[in-house]
Amino acid sequence: MKNIRCCLPKSIKEDGLIPITSEIQEIFDRENNRFKSFMGRDISKDDPLMSSTLRMSESEYKLHISGILEDIGVNPRVIYAFNKLGYTLVEGEEFYSDEQIEEWNLAIEEYEEIEEHGEDIETQNIKSATESIMKAIDKLQFLYALIIRKYANKSENIDLIENVNPNDYILFCLTRNLKTLKAITILAVNDFPEDALNLTRTNFENYAEIVYSNYDSKNLKKQLIAENGVKTGTHKRKWRKIINKENNEQIHLKSNHEKISLHPVFKDIDVKIYKLLYSYLSSYTHPDIMVAFQYIDKDSGFTDLKDNSNIDPLIFTLIFNFMIIHEIYESSFFETSKEDLVQQNKEIYETLNLVDMYIGKLNENIRIRINKTIKTYS
């Protein structure tokens, strides 16, 4: 077994303590001043020394500490091991468990292996799939922006109240969807995957609205007029109905389940996907204990900084937007963009195949849905 000390910077003393150089003292002073600006007192013994890390996620914390380790001349292999394990060994071996020492040595050996031979094929494949996801998300945003610019009416011609144009309603859904997509991306890449998952439900809801518009536009028009009537006082809402106060005419408000069930081709498989995912995603909207584990760390208990999978909300987003893209492809209104839409979905299809191979197996119903859809383009 390798000696732990061989991997430590020269500035660490035999007893394992880092000497307080003027540079490090400056870091501690800065941390104390920051703490004092919030609490009005100096850091005490039971306060964390690095209080600036309190609101950092695990990845942000590692990045922050890695920078400090680099500044004081720590060997890169130690920084690699710290980023992998979340801790460093700075004392003699007697202060650490055999398991920690074994983990540490394996991480050091892994760094040396990567330095000599490069990353293993599994890591390369995961990186390739992740890069493909980000590329597909980026292009998806560009395509939506392009379509909205090409097809949107001038504001004075948009009517979602009286003489409702279903195409305007679809464009409203696409515009809303684009903004949500941007928010999901920002949240996911900045370590807020739970909030991003909350928003992915909106992607599915936009899909349901587009299906509703395409296959039952008559009732959609009535619903939009009635909803406006609630605002103006001519109608009243009662649970899942809107009632005309003058003639008692009732408009039934369809659920998302009912809306996707209107689809003549995909209703059965879409309902299965709805049952699989909608309740799960709704758990991030409400205080549902089914997702409490996302906010509990094995060491620190409840925390808002636990690192969960940043990639999951982006995968869900690609799945739902694959469905949306196909739905607007089927509309004659977007005729001049059909080639762009097909190309986009073929790229999402390839990306989801990479996800299935290298990140995690897709649910069978999702695979059936994307395979059935992609066949319509051949």
Side-chain angles (χ1 to χ4, degrees):
M1 182 177 288
K2 294 183 180 181
N3 190 319
I4 294 297
R5 296 183 191 281
C6 74
C7 304
L8 297 175
K10 293 179 181 178
S11 59
I12 295 184
K13 296 179 180 178
E14 187 63 18
D15 63 1
L17 296 176
I18 301 175
I20 304 300
T21 64
S22 59
E23 183 181 36
I24 296 172
Q25 183 61 57
E26 183 181 336
I27 293 172
F28 289 154
D29 290 343
R30 189 163 60 243
E31 287 290 325
N32 185 68
N33 289 338
R34 178 180 173 81
F35 184 91
K36 196 170 184 178
S37 71
F38 283 109
M39 305 306 298
R41 62 176 176 82
D42 292 325
I43 294 175
S44 61
K45 290 182 179 180
D46 61 346
D47 293 318
L49 187 61
M50 302 293 289
S51 61
S52 63
T53 65
L54 277 173
R55 294 185 291 182
M56 292 182 183
S57 67
E58 184 177 348
S59 59
E60 290 172 327
Y61 168 76
K62 288 178 178 178
L63 185 65
H64 180 72
I65 298 300
S66 293
I68 293 175
L69 294 178
E70 286 182 19
D71 290 342
I72 62 175
V74 173
N75 192 304
R77 69 181 71 182
V78 174
I79 297 176
Y80 175 86
F82 163 72
N83 279 302
K84 183 177 180 67
L85 303 174
Y87 62 86
T88 58
L89 302 187
V90 295
E91 300 278 0
E93 293 183 16
E94 66 272 14
F95 291 95
Y96 299 95
S97 68
D98 290 342
E99 181 182 1
Q100 285 178 310
I101 294 171
E102 181 66 23
E103 285 180 340
W104 184 263
N105 286 327
L106 288 174
I108 296 296
E109 291 170 7
E110 184 176 289
Y111 172 83
E112 293 170 346
E113 181 72 17
I114 291 172
E115 283 290 287
E116 184 176 354
H117 302 292
E119 291 178 323
D120 62 85
I121 189 66
E122 181 180 357
T123 301
Q124 291 178 33
N125 286 335
I126 292 173
K127 281 190 174 181
S128 177
T130 303
E131 289 170 1
S132 184
I133 289 170
M134 298 310 300
K135 182 180 177 182
I137 292 286
D138 190 47
K139 184 176 178 182
L140 190 59
Q141 292 183 29
F142 182 86
L143 179 60
Y144 280 139
L146 178 63
I147 287 174
I148 292 164
R149 177 65 63 87
K150 286 174 66 174
Y151 295 98
N153 281 320
K154 293 182 179 179
S155 59
E156 62 266 23
N157 297 325
I158 296 174
D159 188 349
L160 297 174
I161 297 175
E162 295 179 356
N163 299 312
V164 178
N165 182 340
N167 293 323
D168 278 344
Y169 189 70
I170 291 175
L171 283 165
F172 158 65
C173 291
L174 293 181
T175 305
R176 182 169 175 258
N177 193 68
L178 172 57
K179 196 158 189 176
T180 301
L181 182 57
K182 291 178 180 179
I184 290 169
T185 307
I186 291 170
L187 289 168
V189 301
N190 286 285
D191 296 322
F192 297 98
E194 302 83 13
D195 300 281
L197 283 169
N198 179 0
L199 288 179
T200 58
R201 190 182 80 162
T202 305
N203 287 157
F204 185 86
E205 290 168 346
N206 285 323
Y207 169 71
E209 291 301 317
I210 294 171
V211 170
Y212 189 17
S213 180
N214 279 345
Y215 302 109
D216 194 5
S217 60
K218 182 179 178 181
N219 276 321
L220 172 62
K221 291 179 183 179
K222 288 182 179 180
Q223 177 181 316
L224 294 177
I225 292 170
E227 286 176 344
N228 184 63
V230 173
K231 294 180 180 179
T232 60
T234 61
H235 293 65
K236 62 181 179 180
R237 182 163 182 161
K238 187 175 182 181
W239 187 227
R240 298 201 61 81
K241 295 179 182 179
I242 296 180
I243 303 170
N244 187 315
K245 293 180 180 179
E246 183 177 346
N247 57 21
N248 277 335
E249 180 184 7
Q250 296 186 359
I251 302 295
H252 170 69
L253 300 176
K254 292 184 183 296
S255 65
N256 289 311
H257 183 284
E258 290 172 309
K259 291 170 186 174
I260 61 174
S261 297
L262 295 168
H263 204 294
V265 177
F266 295 112
K267 60 181 179 182
D268 292 336
I269 195 69
D270 283 357
V271 166
K272 290 178 180 178
I273 293 173
Y274 169 85
K275 291 179 178 179
L276 172 72
L277 296 178
Y278 194 78
S279 177
Y280 168 70
L281 296 176
S282 297
S283 297
Y284 289 94
T285 305
H286 312 291
D288 190 333
I289 61 170
M290 296 301 294
V291 296
F293 68 94
Q294 299 276 28
Y295 305 90
I296 300 175
D297 180 76
K298 65 178 182 179
D299 297 321
S300 56
F302 283 111
T303 176
D304 64 319
L305 303 176
K306 182 181 177 182
D307 263 4
N308 296 311
S309 173
N310 289 20
I311 211 70
D312 286 354
L314 300 179
I315 294 171
F316 285 130
T317 292
L318 284 182
I319 293 167
F320 296 149
N321 280 279
F322 180 88
M323 297 160 68
I324 291 172
I325 290 292
H326 183 71
E327 202 53 38
I328 61 176
Y329 162 82
E330 291 289 345
S331 171
S332 60
F333 181 68
F334 300 98
E335 184 67 35
T336 61
S337 293
K338 284 189 180 293
E339 288 186 14
D340 293 336
L341 293 165
V342 170
Q343 184 60 34
Q344 176 71 67
N345 259 6
K346 285 182 176 179
E347 291 181 16
I348 294 177
Y349 176 76
E350 293 300 327
T351 297
L352 291 175
N353 279 336
L354 290 176
V355 169
D356 190 55
M357 288 188 288
Y358 302 131
I359 295 181
K361 288 294 182 183
L362 296 176
N363 174 268
E364 181 183 0
N365 291 315
I366 291 172
R367 282 191 284 110
I368 290 172
R369 177 58 156 92
I370 63 174
N371 288 333
K372 187 175 181 180
T373 302
I374 210 72
K375 287 178 181 178
T376 64
Y377 304 140
S378 57

